[in-house]
């Protein structure tokens, strides 16, 4: 276990944003998380194509007016050489062009999930990476929670035995409440080759399954639903997987589940034990032994204390922003390693291949839903 202190010994890496205006949840989360431990300093940005919104964001975050832009291409041209990395926070369908332009300019890229909207965009990013030998990290913040990392270590240690099945759900009620209470962004109400619901939620579920088990999906079956007032979109999806080593997986993602705001839950079952982690009580990991005796651990008394990043002593809960900050600390260390050696080997920083694997799964799930049968994942 190690105590987090302000980063006073190393000059913070300079970071900029494209997208992520201060009134957006994603902009706020990234701006706070990246600077929480002093590893990064947000120095500039093209926060919105609306100059007024971009200016207001710079003002709110104490960034000098000359470093605020509303044209992302001009921003890259004039500021790329001054930055260690740029975070891409635009709507998902726009990621490809921005990421490729940043890589071409020689800038390290941190991209909000989903990395791309479909497989063709993902392959375009791969070509840019191969050409530039650049750095790309994709943010899947839920594996920043310490107890998720502890769960991973229990599985690696064999404490659950042979893994039999994993069930992950991520339900919310964002699209089924009174329409007057809902204000989803317009781009979230348009489905492309892969439904936007999957790009929003199912990429997280795939990531967590891969992160904690390390087992790859081989076949997929899926059933998509539409329950909301917003026509023409998928807003609920069930996905079933056959994985390596005969593990079975079941995923449920929804924006039409009354009673949930972010009901992320991981349940994993082996032949020696099982485990459960719920995002709304993130400090606690529940383990069950072969006799179904339950043990509940928190940051203060869990095994694998080297996974615990302590900003406050146990009993003072960490949460969503802190998990994001853990990831940004990992990315800072990975980027420094990349600059020194040309590679990064952090088990907590995920790049093109991992993000592409998730998109390949979701593309196959979309085809499975159309055909109503099992599909091989390529």
């Amino acid at each position: 276990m190690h105590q987090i202190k302000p980063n006073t010994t190393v000059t913070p890496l300079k970071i900029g944003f494209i997208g992520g205006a201060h009134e957006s949840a994603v902009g706020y989360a990234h701006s706070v998380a990246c600077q929480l431990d002093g590893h990064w300093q947000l120095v500039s940005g093209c926060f919105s194509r609306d100059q007024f919104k971009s200016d207001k964001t710079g003002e709110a975050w104490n960034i000098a007016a000359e470093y605020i832009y509303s044209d992302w291409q001009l921003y890259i041209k004039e500021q790329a050489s001054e930055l260690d990395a740029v975070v891409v926070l635009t709507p998902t369908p726009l990621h490809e062009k921005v990421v490729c332009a940043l890589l071409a300019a020689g800038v390290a890229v941190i991209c909000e999930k989903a990395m791309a909207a479909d497989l063709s965009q993902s392959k375009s990013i791969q070509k840019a990476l191969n050409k530039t030998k650049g750095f790309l990290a994709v943010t899947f913040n839920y594996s920043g929670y310490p107890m998720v990392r502890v769960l991973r270590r229990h599985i690696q240690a064999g404490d659950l035995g042979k893994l039999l099945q994993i069930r992950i759900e991520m339900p919310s009620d964002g699209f089924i409440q009174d329409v007057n209470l809902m204000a989803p962004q317009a781009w979230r109400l348009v489905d492309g080759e892969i439904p936007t619901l999957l790009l929003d939620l199912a990429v997280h579920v795939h990531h967590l399954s891969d992160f904690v088990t390390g087992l790859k999906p081989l076949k997929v079956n899926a059933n998509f639903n539409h329950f909301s007032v917003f026509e023409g979109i998928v807003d609920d999806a069930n996905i079933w997987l056959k994985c390596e080593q005969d593990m079975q997986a079941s995923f449920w993602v929804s924006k039409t589940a009354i009673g949930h705001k972010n009901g992320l839950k991981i349940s994993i079952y082996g032949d020696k034990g099982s485990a459960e982690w719920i995002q709304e009580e993130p400090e606690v990991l529940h383990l069950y032994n072969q006799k179904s005796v339950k043990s509940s651990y928190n940051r203060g008394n869990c095994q694998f204390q080297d996974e615990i990043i302590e900003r406050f002593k146990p009993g003072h809960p960490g949460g969503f922003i802190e998990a994001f900050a853990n990831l940004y600390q990992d990315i800072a260390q990975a980027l420094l390693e990349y600059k020194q050696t040309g590679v990064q080997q952090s088990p907590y920083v995920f790049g093109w291949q991992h993000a592409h694997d998730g998109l390949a799964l979701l593309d196959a799930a979309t085809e499975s839903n159309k055909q109503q049968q099992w599909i091989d994942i390529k």
Side-chain angles (χ1 to χ4, degrees):
M1 180 167 60
H2 49 287
Q3 185 77 25
I4 288 291
K5 297 180 180 179
N7 178 20
T8 58
T9 59
V10 180
T11 302
L13 296 167
K14 293 182 179 180
I15 199 169
F17 283 8
I18 295 179
H22 73 292
E23 292 182 347
S24 69
V26 69
Y28 172 80
H30 280 267
S31 67
V32 174
C34 73
Q35 298 179 98
L36 186 61
D37 300 317
H39 293 280
W40 301 90
Q41 181 184 4
L42 180 58
V43 298
S44 64
C46 173
F47 303 106
S48 173
R49 289 174 292 185
D50 183 317
Q51 187 67 57
F52 178 77
K53 289 183 180 180
S54 202
D55 289 342
K56 279 293 186 182
T57 300
E59 181 181 330
W61 292 341
N62 297 311
I63 299 172
E66 60 265 34
Y67 301 116
I68 307 301
Y69 292 76
S70 59
D71 182 328
W72 64 266
Q73 292 166 313
L74 180 62
Y75 173 60
I76 293 173
K77 180 180 178 180
E78 295 187 357
Q79 295 297 325
S81 62
E82 305 299 321
L83 296 165
D84 292 295
V86 170
V87 186
V88 178
L89 298 172
T90 64
T92 301
L94 303 179
H95 285 180
E96 175 204 2
K97 289 184 178 180
V98 180
V99 169
C100 290
L102 287 165
L103 291 170
V107 185
V109 181
I110 302 168
C111 184
E112 168 67 7
K113 65 77 199 166
M115 177 183 67
D118 54 48
L119 291 180
S120 64
Q121 289 188 0
S122 176
K123 290 174 182 177
S124 175
I125 292 172
Q126 181 189 34
K127 290 180 181 178
L129 276 168
N130 291 340
K131 181 178 180 179
T132 63
K133 308 301 180 185
F135 177 95
L136 171 65
V138 182
T139 57
F140 298 97
N141 59 294
Y142 292 103
S143 57
Y145 280 108
M147 299 310 287
V148 172
R149 296 181 177 189
V150 170
L151 169 59
R152 178 174 181 261
R153 292 283 293 278
H154 277 287
I155 292 169
Q156 291 175 337
D159 293 341
L160 305 188
K162 173 180 169 55
L163 299 183
L164 305 177
Q165 59 177 317
I166 185 170
R167 296 176 179 270
I168 307 181
E169 59 185 56
M170 198 173 187
S172 76
D173 60 4
F175 284 4
I176 202 167
Q177 292 183 322
D178 188 314
V179 68
N180 295 316
L181 300 177
M182 297 182 290
Q185 295 159 300
W187 68 271
R188 295 184 187 276
L189 300 177
V190 178
D191 282 348
E193 291 183 24
I194 298 172
T196 301
L197 174 77
L198 305 190
L199 299 174
D200 258 0
L201 303 184
V203 290
H204 279 307
V205 175
H206 160 264
H207 163 72
L208 287 168
S209 178
D210 186 271
F211 180 76
V212 299
T213 73
L215 299 178
K216 306 299 181 184
L218 304 174
K219 291 179 176 289
V220 62
N221 202 344
N223 186 57
F224 299 168
N225 299 298
H226 172 263
F227 298 134
S228 75
V229 298
F230 300 109
E231 294 297 331
I233 61 169
V234 173
D235 49 40
D236 180 277
N238 289 278
I239 299 172
W240 303 276
L241 302 169
K242 297 178 181 180
C243 303
E244 295 173 330
Q245 299 181 20
D246 297 323
M247 186 186 78
Q248 307 293 307
S250 174
F251 300 162
W252 174 44
V253 294
S254 181
K255 291 193 176 183
T256 57
I258 291 174
H260 294 281
K261 294 302 180 184
N262 181 351
L264 176 59
K265 177 181 178 181
I266 304 171
S267 302
I268 184 162
Y269 302 88
D271 61 4
K272 293 183 180 179
S274 66
E276 181 180 75
W277 179 82
I278 301 169
Q279 200 254 169
E280 291 181 348
E281 51 175 42
E283 297 284 271
V284 181
L285 175 64
H286 304 287
L287 297 173
Y288 299 81
N289 67 16
Q290 202 165 31
K291 296 182 179 180
S292 294
V293 176
K294 179 180 179 180
S295 300
S296 297
Y297 299 102
N298 60 38
R299 281 188 296 124
N301 60 13
C302 70
Q303 297 182 45
F304 309 111
Q305 283 288 304
D306 57 311
E307 295 289 358
I308 304 302
I309 295 174
E310 288 287 9
R311 295 182 179 84
F312 301 100
K313 61 184 178 180
H316 298 71
F320 187 87
I321 294 295
E322 290 87 349
F324 237 130
N326 294 344
L327 180 58
Y328 264 104
Q329 182 181 178
D330 298 327
I331 294 173
Q333 294 167 351
L335 179 56
L336 291 172
E337 180 185 17
Y338 180 82
K339 287 183 174 182
Q340 293 170 1
T341 68
V343 296
Q344 74 85 14
Q345 302 182 69
S346 170
Y348 304 128
V349 176
F350 298 88
W352 180 85
Q353 187 64 61
H354 180 78
H356 179 80
D357 289 347
L359 291 170
L361 163 61
L362 301 182
D363 184 78
T366 303
E367 185 61 28
S368 171
N369 176 70
K370 291 178 182 177
Q371 297 188 24
Q372 288 293 288
Q373 65 180 19
W374 287 93
I375 295 289
D376 290 334
I377 300 170
K378 299 177 181 178

